[in-house]
Amino acid sequence: RTVEMFNAFGLAEKLTREAYWVNETVFWRPDERDRTRIVRSGRDQDVADGLSEYPHEIVNQARMQEYLLGHMRKSPARLEPDYGLEVTGVVVEGSGEYPVKVTLKRTYGGAGGDEKVTVRAKYGVGCDGARSAVRRSLGVELRGDARNHAWGVMDVLAVTDFPDVRFKAAIQSAGGSILLIPREGGYLLRLYVDLGDLEPGDREARTRFTPEMIIATAQKVLHPYTLEVKDIAWWSVYEVGQRIADRFDDVLPEERGTRVPRVFIAGDACHTHSAKAGQGMDVSMQDGFNLGWKLAAVLAGRSRPSLLDTYAAERRAVAQELIDFDLLWSSAMGSRPRDPDNPDGGGMGPAEVQRIFTDGARFTAGFATDYAPSMVTGPDTWGHLAKGFPVGERFHSAPVIRLADAKPLQLGHQAQADGRWRIYAFADEAGQAAVSRLSGLCRFLAESEVSPVARYTPAGADPDAVFDLRAVYQQGHRELDLNTLPELLRPRKGRFGLTDYEKVFTPDLKSGPDIFELRGIGRAQGAMVVVRRDQYVAHVLPLDAHQDLAAFFESIMTG
């Protein structure tokens, strides 16, 4: 899912080129004949066929952040973060234009190291981690439990005869457990090593572990295979626990709906969990994408401030699902293997561990998010018209052919992170005829006073500046004449009024089932799929549901 998101920022190809691809997961258990040894017990395809056009990829967090920082530097605003400031307090004062007061101090040494800085802002976002100063300033509590169980994690360069060292591997042994994750570059690997239970109340327990202790435990788990660590790129010890903030913004429950939220928290500032499923960074970036487009829409004056209430409502539900999943996942990874000679001794068998991994694949791939109905997510009344685009879930791309030049493309890849809403119109069986439902939709959007395009596109802006309309016809690309299609699908743009030829697509019959069959779109009526700025399906409507479309955007947009 993260790779799909990165595609909207123009970063997917770089990520895919550099990343390690997780193709299969292998499972190891104690040998029933000699429980001091491990044997392979199974393997699974890591990502189900058809789940995404992208593979499951792994890149370290520092590199991922560098992608985003580079994108910021090249953006029109030429943004650069300032790491030399530390938040000491956040207060929301009144309801003026800049009600958020943030106090900070400089953290660099030398003269000015104690300099205090005050910032007045319209909004603030705390992305400052599990020890978030912003969260504390808001009086928000992280609630949950520590599991008093330690895991060592290290990225290492090593020599080993373990045969699955370049596979993602879940290893259960009589002496403990390892989750092995190969890293990018062909040599580096990450080891999550079970270090056992901690004494409750012993706050210093984690600090007494050393890299040598983690390596020794890993060597014991991998027996009879050897592991010789040549270099440690990074290591840490963490305690498994699942915690979630009781709210994700500054609005108290009894105040909800009476005032606009002004300060938000995202990522580890509002949900913490184990690291083994690789969800922390991925879920946190989705927090940012969700909140980012909403803040941008409000700040640009295109959406009502009440839109910001949907951030906490949507993302806290996702975080709770993450916490619930992580508890199950961590329990599976930390369980001791069941001894067939002692069936009453507890533990978890290899088949059960493999089932939990397999059942959790959709979640670890990032596709478990399903937003509930709200002002930005409509009801599923017409979901049967496009069964492969469930309302509230991410827009699932599919192969198409661009009409203007017969270029094979992925439909979802044509949408960039540019702040626009997407309307995908899948043609009805009447196709390009003037009486078709698709032609009627184009006339409504172009001519009606209540059309969202007419109402909310600023004067003098390109026709698709706010709403990016794309059409997919049922005919092959050689059967259609571009010049006979509605003008709204051939918009004139820019200072020279040049024609945009990239709005119309046809099925790709060479790639297997065409998009209508692949995504369950009814051919008789067609369908209209409205997609939010963060790539989630906001609504599915009949092509002639003009008033429903207008009403949906009326509650969101201003203008």
Side-chain angles (χ1 to χ4, degrees):
R1 173 69 192 115
T2 299
V3 190
E4 292 181 356
M5 183 180 74
F6 268 43
N7 178 73
F9 293 87
L11 299 171
E13 289 185 5
K14 179 184 292 186
L15 179 60
T16 299
R17 186 170 61 250
E18 293 189 12
Y20 167 78
W21 292 19
V22 185
N23 301 304
E24 293 184 350
T25 299
V26 295
F27 300 88
W28 289 72
R29 61 168 172 78
D31 188 340
E32 293 181 1
R33 294 171 295 183
D34 179 359
R35 290 182 60 79
T36 67
R37 302 164 63 92
I38 57 172
V39 294
R40 188 187 296 118
S41 61
R43 67 168 73 218
D44 269 343
Q45 179 176 319
D46 187 76
V47 178
D49 292 335
L51 191 64
S52 174
E53 66 277 16
Y54 287 113
H56 180 181
E57 302 178 7
I58 290 178
V59 171
N60 76 80
Q61 183 164 331
R63 187 65 179 140
M64 294 285 280
Q65 291 178 183
E66 184 56 38
Y67 294 153
L68 295 172
L69 290 169
H71 189 69
M72 288 168 58
R73 295 185 193 104
K74 296 176 182 177
S75 71
R78 299 294 192 266
L79 290 174
E80 288 274 5
D82 186 342
Y83 293 108
L85 292 164
E86 179 182 332
V87 173
T88 58
V90 180
V91 179
V92 179
E93 297 181 338
S95 57
E97 187 175 5
Y98 298 95
V100 181
K101 179 183 178 181
V102 185
T103 54
L104 311 101
K105 65 177 181 180
R106 298 276 181 192
T107 57
Y108 53 75
D114 295 327
E115 179 186 353
K116 300 293 189 295
V117 178
T118 300
V119 175
R120 289 281 185 176
K122 293 182 178 181
Y123 300 97
V125 185
C127 307
D128 49 343
R131 295 179 176 84
S132 171
V134 176
R135 184 187 67 239
R136 291 197 303 271
S137 294
L138 298 180
V140 176
E141 297 288 338
L142 272 182
R143 304 190 186 279
D145 296 310
R147 301 297 166 187
N148 300 315
H149 196 95
W151 285 80
V153 54
M154 51 175 47
D155 287 334
V156 299
L157 296 171
V159 175
T160 179
D161 57 354
F162 179 64
D164 290 339
V165 69
R166 295 308 295 172
F167 284 95
K168 175 182 172 183
I171 306 164
Q172 278 187 312
S173 84
S177 300
I178 288 176
L179 179 64
L180 187 155
I181 307 288
R183 305 307 301 264
E184 61 275 24
Y187 299 101
L188 196 69
L189 63 138
R190 171 163 291 189
L191 298 172
Y192 292 98
V193 182
D194 185 355
L195 299 177
D197 292 333
L198 302 175
E199 187 67 30
D202 185 352
R203 294 180 177 273
E204 305 300 320
R206 284 190 302 159
T207 65
R208 290 192 284 273
F209 288 104
T210 65
E212 291 75 21
M213 294 168 67
I214 299 172
I215 293 169
T217 302
Q219 290 168 335
K220 180 180 178 182
V221 171
L222 289 172
H223 180 75
Y225 302 103
T226 61
L227 175 72
E228 182 183 359
V229 174
K230 297 292 188 179
D231 188 60
I232 301 173
W234 171 83
W235 75 279
S236 183
V237 175
Y238 69 90
E239 182 181 354
V240 174
Q242 292 82 24
R243 297 181 178 88
I244 185 171
D246 49 19
R247 50 193 170 89
F248 283 18
D249 59 32
D250 64 300
V251 179
L252 296 171
E254 60 270 22
E255 296 178 311
R256 186 69 63 189
T258 65
R259 69 179 184 88
V260 176
R262 290 288 185 168
V263 182
F264 309 84
I265 53 175
D268 285 357
C270 49
H271 44 74
T272 62
H273 45 84
S274 71
K276 293 181 293 300
Q279 292 292 290
M281 178 172 59
D282 299 274
V283 173
S284 298
M285 288 192 294
Q286 287 287 332
D287 286 349
F289 203 4
N290 182 298
L291 178 58
W293 78 261
K294 294 171 182 177
L295 276 172
V298 171
L299 289 167
R302 292 181 177 175
S303 292
R304 305 174 190 277
S306 56
L307 173 66
L308 299 176
D309 277 316
T310 64
Y311 167 71
E314 290 185 335
R315 295 309 296 178
R316 195 180 189 284
V318 170
Q320 186 61 62
E321 292 172 357
L322 169 62
I323 295 300
D324 296 341
F325 167 80
D326 186 64
L327 179 58
L328 177 65
W329 180 276
S330 297
S331 298
M333 279 306 306
S335 66
R336 67 180 184 276
R338 183 177 294 123
D339 186 348
D341 295 330
N342 183 20
D344 297 328
M348 190 175 292
E352 190 174 1
V353 172
Q354 186 168 342
R355 179 186 59 77
I356 290 173
F357 267 72
T358 302
D359 291 348
R362 183 174 175 82
F363 201 105
T364 55
F367 297 127
T369 299
D370 184 359
Y371 290 134
S374 68
M375 68 183 297
V376 287
T377 304
D380 196 24
T381 308
W382 298 97
H384 62 280
L385 295 178
K387 296 178 181 178
F389 295 118
V391 176
E393 296 185 15
R394 96 349 178 147
F395 182 81
H396 192 177
S397 186
V400 290
I401 299 293
R402 190 163 60 199
L403 176 61
D405 57 3
K407 183 176 182 178
L409 297 165
Q410 282 282 339
L411 182 61
H413 294 190
Q414 308 319 300
Q416 300 302 302
D418 53 16
R420 293 186 292 172
W421 286 86
R422 315 289 165 186
I423 300 176
Y424 295 96
F426 295 90
D428 50 304
E429 59 188 357
Q432 66 191 93
V435 296
S436 73
R437 289 182 173 89
L438 176 52
S439 296
L441 173 65
C442 290
R443 286 193 296 272
F444 165 75
L445 292 174
E447 301 170 8
S448 174
E449 293 182 355
V450 299
S451 155
V453 173
R455 288 186 65 181
Y456 307 120
T457 301
D462 287 337
D464 62 351
V466 179
F467 297 95
D468 180 16
L469 174 66
R470 309 266 176 161
V472 182
Y473 284 85
Q474 297 185 31
Q475 297 97 319
H477 67 277
R478 296 180 180 179
E479 302 173 49
L480 291 173
D481 181 352
L482 183 66
N483 288 330
T484 65
L485 302 184
E487 290 187 9
L488 196 61
L489 299 177
R490 299 174 285 125
R492 304 288 293 273
K493 297 164 62 175
R495 59 184 292 202
F496 297 118
L498 303 179
T499 302
D500 184 341
Y501 291 103
E502 301 185 354
K503 300 289 190 182
V504 184
F505 305 87
T506 64
D508 184 350
L509 302 178
K510 295 181 180 180
S511 298
D514 74 35
I515 189 170
F516 284 83
E517 181 180 346
L518 200 61
R519 298 289 172 257
I521 302 163
R523 295 182 184 274
Q525 295 187 56
M528 175 176 20
V529 179
V530 180
V531 180
R532 300 169 11 162
R533 292 155 173 172
D534 57 355
Q535 303 175 322
Y536 283 82
V537 177
H539 221 333
V540 172
L541 291 167
L543 288 169
D544 53 7
H546 304 160
Q547 298 306 316
D548 290 335
L549 180 68
F552 176 72
F553 281 110
E554 188 172 12
S555 67
I556 303 170
M557 309 292 287
T558 59

